[in-house]
Amino acid sequence: MATHTFWGIVPAAGVGKRMAADRPKQYLPLAGKTVIEHTLEHLLAAEIWAGVAVAISPEDPYWPELAISRHPLVHTAPGGKERADSVLNALDYLQDRAGEEDWVLVHDAARPCIAAADVHKLIDALKDDAVGGILALPVADTLKRVSDGSISETVDRSAIWRALTPQMFRYGALRDALRDAAAKGSVVTDEASALELQGRRPKIVEGRPDNLKITRPEDLPLAEFYLKQLS
């Protein structure tokens, strides 16, 4: 039976401007801890990691104050200007530790409600896949295409999914895809899009709807409610 090695990457160098807060959203208080503490604790609860690299801005004063930054499985990597830069920096940080065929799971710092069961569901579905894939949710709402403030058409939602994280790909393939996208100046908003630019077709694994991303202030009480259900 083939053995697999799993690494986590959490890009956490963003500033979260839409929160209009006095600190990056990953450090906002949530149910007695910071957002990122919940995120990392729930990821680590999956108990499958060789290590988890957290990409942090060099000027970040909050991260060193958190006890979880000194967890034996947690590594601090240099953050970048954009998400893709942070992920690539974390991959470079892991280059002497990770093998080309090791799996890397990239997870948003602002998704604190990730369930260990969903991490295992993703791994079980993809560990023998040639490409990898992502957690995602089918869209339930009716979708409208808008031009100049007016609806131009209703979009068929049957083939539309919302991308979640973690997103899981081989170390070497993800590194090469992100490097290639950066060299070409291609905009990638998640890891799957970098693989798509290489002509690959990542798989979809349906995730839980409570795996929300904290983007606006009203997301915090909802996340607190979801965390109570996870505990």
Side-chain angles (χ1 to χ4, degrees):
M1 178 181 291
T3 58
H4 303 277
T5 300
F6 303 97
W7 299 90
I9 288 180
V10 178
V15 296
K17 293 178 180 178
R18 280 176 286 185
M19 291 297 293
D22 65 347
R23 64 192 63 199
K25 61 186 176 183
Q26 59 267 30
Y27 299 115
L28 291 174
L30 173 63
K33 300 176 183 178
T34 61
V35 169
I36 196 170
E37 286 175 294
H38 285 291
T39 300
L40 290 171
E41 286 173 8
H42 283 108
L43 274 182
L44 290 168
E47 297 184 337
I48 45 82
W49 307 107
V52 177
V54 185
I56 298 291
S57 170
E59 296 82 26
D60 188 326
Y62 304 103
W63 174 247
E65 300 299 317
L66 300 181
I68 203 160
S69 70
R70 297 179 290 280
H71 188 285
L73 288 177
V74 173
H75 303 263
T76 302
K81 182 179 179 182
E82 304 294 341
R83 173 202 173 90
D85 302 320
S86 290
V87 174
L88 188 52
N89 285 354
L91 289 166
D92 288 341
Y93 171 87
L94 292 173
Q95 66 180 349
D96 294 330
R97 299 172 173 86
E100 291 287 293
E101 296 300 311
D102 287 358
W103 286 108
V104 175
L105 282 74
V106 183
H107 186 64
D108 294 329
R111 290 189 187 271
C113 303
I114 178 64
D118 254 13
V119 176
H120 285 285
K121 182 179 182 181
L122 184 70
I123 287 172
D124 289 344
L126 300 177
K127 62 187 177 183
D128 296 314
D129 190 77
V131 177
I134 72 173
L135 286 178
L137 278 174
V139 171
D141 299 313
T142 298
L143 299 177
K144 304 292 186 181
R145 192 180 307 281
V146 175
S147 177
D148 296 326
S150 299
I151 295 171
S152 58
E153 66 172 311
T154 298
V155 179
D156 178 11
R157 70 184 180 200
S158 65
I160 305 296
W161 288 62
R162 290 170 45 212
L164 307 176
T165 67
Q167 303 198 354
M168 174 174 158
F169 299 103
R170 300 281 185 184
Y171 175 89
L174 179 57
R175 178 203 59 215
D176 292 349
L178 287 171
R179 284 180 178 173
D180 190 51
K184 293 177 178 176
S186 301
V187 176
V188 293
T189 55
D190 69 351
E191 291 65 54
S193 59
L195 273 292
E196 292 160 34
L197 288 171
Q198 301 269 299
R200 305 192 187 208
R201 299 186 63 183
K203 299 292 192 306
I204 287 286
V205 177
E206 186 166 352
R208 293 166 52 126
D210 56 2
N211 185 8
L212 87 164
K213 184 177 182 180
I214 292 175
T215 305
R216 301 182 183 278
E218 57 267 27
D219 296 328
L220 286 167
L222 183 57
E224 184 165 2
F225 171 78
Y226 286 150
L227 286 171
K228 289 177 181 176
Q229 316 310 309
L230 283 176
S231 60

